[in-house]
């Protein structure tokens, strides 16, 4: 069969002493890595990864629909920039409060509530009547959805084995481009 024929060069390469020695050096660290993140750490990472990607998806989609929002409300480019700036500053202030809340009430609880609330807040954008309500809706949505950045980062760092904390935290950051990539595919 063609699959078997294609695999023959790889099988011969693995049998060579040089390749076998390289694989032997690589394999124990990977086995130790997978053994150390099994169970709860990998589940926590997976949940945080999906939440972070979804949050980035929302940020990207808003950027894609902003020209339509601008046209809907008859805003100039300067007014649109001011609207986004004010919403971002308000979101930053709200985020500090959400961060404190996650320290007091628990990260898992805040993450669950903020993830659920973000979906409802995004849907509430359909009820926006003008620029002022858009600023408020966007500020609250960005703050609640943005809490995903801080909370997922904290949960991932706390639950990852100390030896692999940097690697796991770095892998979490790959959810950022994934969210933008998916939104780009849907908009295209």
């Amino acid at each position: 069969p063609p699959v078997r024929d294609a695999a023959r060069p790889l099988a011969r390469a693995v049998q060579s002493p040089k390749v076998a020695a390289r694989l032997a050096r690589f394999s124990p660290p990977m086995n130790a890595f997978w053994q150390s993140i099994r169970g709860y750490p990998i589940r926590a990472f997976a949940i945080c990864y999906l939440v972070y990607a979804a949050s980035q998806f929302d940020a990207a989609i808003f950027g894609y629909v902003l020209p339509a929002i601008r046209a809907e409300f008859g805003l100039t480019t300067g007014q649109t920039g001011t609207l986004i700036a004010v919403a971002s500053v308000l979101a930053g202030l709200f985020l500090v409060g959400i961060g404190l809340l996650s320290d007091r009430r628990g990260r898992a609880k805040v993450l669950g509530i903020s993830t659920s609330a973000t979906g409802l807040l995004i849907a509430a954008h359909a009820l926006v009547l003008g620029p002022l309500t858009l600023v408020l809706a966007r500020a609250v949505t960005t703050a609640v959805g943005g809490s995903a950045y801080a909370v997922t980062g904290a949960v991932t760092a706390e639950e990852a084995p100390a030896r692999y904390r940097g690697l796991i935290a770095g892998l979490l950051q790959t959810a950022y481009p994934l969210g933008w990539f998916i939104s780009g595919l849907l908009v295209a």
Side-chain angles (χ1 to χ4, degrees):
V3 173
R4 223 181 246 174
D5 292 338
R8 281 189 185 145
L10 180 60
R12 276 190 296 254
V14 171
Q15 290 173 358
S16 87
K18 279 185 175 178
V19 173
R22 286 185 188 146
L23 287 175
R25 284 193 305 252
F26 181 72
S27 185
M30 286 308 293
N31 286 338
F33 171 73
W34 288 114
Q35 290 295 320
S36 68
I37 65 167
R38 278 186 13 195
Y40 183 74
I42 195 70
R43 286 193 309 270
F45 172 78
I47 291 167
C48 289
Y49 192 88
L50 293 173
V51 168
Y52 194 6
S55 183
Q56 289 306 315
F57 174 82
D58 167 56
I61 286 292
F62 185 74
Y64 291 128
V65 300
L66 195 55
I69 292 171
R70 184 176 160 225
E72 173 83 20
F73 294 128
L75 300 171
T76 66
T77 305
Q79 290 170 325
T80 305
T82 302
L83 183 141
I84 298 304
V86 170
S88 297
V89 168
L90 286 173
L93 294 173
F94 294 156
L95 272 167
V96 172
I98 292 172
L100 291 170
L101 187 64
S102 74
D103 286 339
R104 289 195 170 86
R105 299 289 182 202
R107 293 183 214 333
K109 186 181 287 187
V110 169
L111 187 62
I113 292 170
S114 69
T115 302
S116 302
T118 299
L120 296 173
L121 290 167
I122 291 169
H125 279 66
L127 305 175
V128 166
L129 301 173
L132 180 60
T133 54
L134 179 61
V135 166
L136 292 174
R138 198 65 209 150
V140 172
T141 302
T142 302
V144 172
S147 67
Y149 314 146
V151 176
T152 58
V155 168
T156 300
E158 289 169 353
E159 299 305 329
R163 181 173 180 184
Y164 300 109
R165 200 164 281 150
L167 173 63
I168 302 279
L171 287 172
L172 179 66
Q173 298 309 309
T174 65
Y176 184 97
L178 178 66
W180 283 76
F181 174 75
I182 292 169
S183 68
L185 287 178
L186 291 176
V187 171

